[in-house]
Amino acid sequence: MNSDPRETPPPPERPEIANSAAAPGDPAAAPPTAAPDPAAARIRIVLVGTQHPGNIGSAARAMKTMGLSRLVLVAPEKPLDRDAYAMAAGADDVLEAAPILPDLAAAIADCHWVLGCTARSRRIALEELPPRLAAERVDARAREGAQVALVFGRERTGLNNDELQLCHAAVHIPANPDYSSLNLGAAVQVLSYELRMAALAAAAADPAGDHRDPPASHAQLEGFFGQLGEALDAIDFHKGRAPESAMRKLRRLFLRADLDEREVRLLRGVLADVERMAMLAGQRR
């Protein structure tokens, strides 16, 4: 992604003369507004380590044009300034409602599915989705009641491996390989558009919006993975080998399973018994 916003801030948009002249109560006085989509409220855009406030404003504008409003900022290098609000072009409410958090783990702790936007392959092996399929899955999970995050990294370096490790899958925008420099705001616009199209299609196909059991949150899954690591240590599963490789594979396995809250409780109960039996076996020696 480019390191600085390239577009010139647009002039303030003014209402059409016909609208401004309409009498109070006249239907022409204001454009019709669609009912808010409850699924959109469960989708957050997370910007990690953004270096230029103008890019944050561009992202807010991109979101609002596509019906998204939940922006989360993780350790931005600079505070919001005049450039951010100029590039937002009226999406001030999105900027002002955006919490600023110290790290990605805090930003996604209550999320059930996290999608990391990355421009290239990393050592972290994640399922890689094209934008349209990623948007369909994000929208489907949000309609099931899940909290979902799309995470965008720094303009120059993107997300690091530790941050990608917290994601369930990755999305890659297939830009021109000869010139793949994509501005942060433009990347957010591409994904926001795909989310909008997925939402419109899903709402038309299933207006009732059937729900499934609540999926496990990111924090619940991290608690499970922590207990899994402790249980494996208790039974000497690794036999002196470094545990990182096995844990990475186990994380991917369980993340693909898309566990719900009840399933996580069941697995943690199994692990508690494993740890208890390991302790009793140790006492008998």
Side-chain angles (χ1 to χ4, degrees), residues 91-155:
D92 297 9
D93 54 331
V94 177
L95 292 179
E96 290 164 1
I100 300 176
L101 298 173
D103 53 49
L104 179 57
I108 60 175
D110 63 332
C111 287
H112 306 99
W113 202 59
V114 180
L115 191 61
C117 301
T118 180
R120 56 189 180 273
S121 298
R122 304 282 187 137
R123 290 182 60 191
I124 304 299
L126 291 174
E127 181 185 12
E128 191 171 285
L129 306 173
R132 189 151 301 171
L133 178 57
E136 290 170 357
R137 292 192 184 180
V138 166
D139 182 78
R141 282 168 168 77
R143 290 181 186 282
E144 292 167 352
Q147 295 289 333
V148 188
L150 273 77
V151 183
F152 295 80
R154 301 154 191 83
E155 291 93 330

Side-chain angles (χ1 to χ4, degrees), residues 7-261:
E7 60 257 35
T8 302
E13 297 178 2
R14 300 183 181 278
E16 297 293 332
I17 293 175
N19 284 349
S20 61
D26 189 330
T33 57
D37 182 358
R42 303 186 190 103
I43 301 171
R44 71 192 67 176
I45 301 295
V46 182
L47 306 183
V48 178
T50 312
Q51 294 153 322
H52 296 280
N55 286 333
I56 299 175
S58 295
R61 179 182 185 180
M63 292 170 57
K64 189 165 184 176
T65 59
M66 295 297 143
L68 300 173
S69 61
R70 292 190 66 185
L71 175 64
V72 179
L73 306 178
V74 173
E77 290 195 3
K78 298 177 183 177
L80 298 178
D81 59 12
R82 293 179 60 186
D83 286 344
Y85 283 92
M87 298 302 290
D92 297 9
D93 54 331
V94 177
L95 292 179
E96 290 164 1
I100 300 176
L101 298 173
D103 53 49
L104 179 57
I108 60 175
D110 63 332
C111 287
H112 306 99
W113 202 59
V114 180
L115 191 61
C117 301
T118 180
R120 56 189 180 273
S121 298
R122 304 282 187 137
R123 290 182 60 191
I124 304 299
L126 291 174
E127 181 185 12
E128 191 171 285
L129 306 173
R132 189 151 301 171
L133 178 57
E136 290 170 357
R137 292 192 184 180
V138 166
D139 182 78
R141 282 168 168 77
R143 290 181 186 282
E144 292 167 352
Q147 295 289 333
V148 188
L150 273 77
V151 183
F152 295 80
R154 301 154 191 83
E155 291 93 330
R156 288 191 292 271
T157 59
L159 297 168
N160 62 39
N161 286 346
D162 289 339
E163 290 159 349
L164 282 170
Q165 181 74 63
L166 298 176
C167 300
H168 297 80
V171 57
H172 171 63
I173 298 172
N176 176 7
D178 295 326
Y179 186 72
S180 59
S181 179
L182 193 64
N183 180 268
L184 175 60
V188 173
Q189 186 72 77
V190 169
L191 269 297
S192 297
Y193 169 78
E194 293 293 354
L195 284 168
R196 178 70 170 170
M197 298 308 293
L200 292 173
D206 183 19
D210 294 335
H211 297 289
R212 54 164 272 187
D213 289 339
S217 71
H218 193 275
Q220 289 169 332
L221 287 171
E222 288 303 311
F224 164 67
F225 289 135
Q227 186 179 4
L228 176 60
E230 293 170 359
L232 294 178
D233 288 340
I235 62 174
D236 193 24
F237 174 81
H238 304 292
K239 304 296 189 296
R241 298 184 297 270
E244 289 79 9
S245 177
M247 284 302 301
R248 281 196 298 268
K249 293 174 182 176
L250 288 168
R251 283 179 68 97
R252 291 198 298 271
L253 186 156
F254 282 110
L255 289 176
R256 283 198 304 270
D258 194 20
L259 301 171
D260 62 33
E261 292 180 353

